Amino acid sequence: MNYDSNNIFAKILRGEIPCHKVYEDDHSLAFMDVMPQADGHTLVIPKRGSRNLLDAEPVELGPLLASVQKVSRAVRKAFNAEGVLIQQFNEPAAGQTVFHLHFHVLPRTAGTALRPHTGQMADPALLADHAGRIRGALTD
Ligand code: 5GP
């Protein structure tokens, strides 16, 4: 399967559609998921296009995972979470719906159920507030 640069995350990277940005460096961008499965649900994507983990260049995965770690620490702190769930889906059979590699970062607290995957759109004001909380919890 080929990478299609018209996917929604490629459009976010090009600034063609907005996002609630959490973190950015030379290799990666992190922003709020519009249909969060938990408050603080953040997506971390590489700037270089690959469809998913299966076709990504191995050399890009180190810097990308460093961003996932950085964002995960901030998400845990911002939401006072007991744990952080990382999810990453490859191809439709595995649940992938947007075909640009991404890692889901989900703060978790025992006894709190996750909302459905690609469920309800969140209030943009709430996402802006959550993005600000996570940005404020980022450390160098
Ligand atoms: P996947 O199913 O491919 O692992 O996850 C795609 C994720 O992207 C879903 O959790 C979905 O809620 C999220 N999503 C879909 N469209 C948009 C969008 O336009 N903006 C943002 N920020 N997230 C999106």
Side-chain angles (χ1 to χ4, degrees), residues 8-9 12 17-20 31-37 41 43 87-90 94-100 102-104 116-121 127:
I8 203 96
F9 294 168
I12 287 175
I17 64 165
C19 70
H20 297 281
F31 54 90
M32 304 312 296
D33 194 300
V34 281
M35 292 174 266
Q37 291 185 254
H41 182 171
L43 300 170
Q87 288 185 320
Q88 194 279 313
F89 305 134
N90 300 282
Q96 187 177 10
T97 60
V98 177
F99 298 95
H100 180 113
H102 54 280
F103 286 82
H104 297 259
H117 180 58
T118 62
Q120 276 205 304
M121 295 274 276
L127 293 179

Side-chain angles (χ1 to χ4, degrees), residues 70-139:
K70 187 180 185 80
V71 169
S72 298
R73 287 172 169 164
V75 163
R76 182 174 64 169
K77 192 170 161 196
F79 287 86
N80 201 23
E82 293 169 1
V84 179
L85 173 66
I86 307 298
Q87 288 185 320
Q88 194 279 313
F89 305 134
N90 300 282
E91 300 300 330
Q96 187 177 10
T97 60
V98 177
F99 298 95
H100 180 113
L101 173 60
H102 54 280
F103 286 82
H104 297 259
V105 177
L106 294 142
R108 301 292 288 127
T109 299
T112 304
L114 285 179
R115 297 189 285 267
H117 180 58
T118 62
Q120 276 205 304
M121 295 274 276
D123 176 357
L126 187 69
L127 293 179
D129 175 67
H130 290 171
R133 278 167 64 175
I134 299 167
R135 283 196 303 272
L138 283 168
T139 53

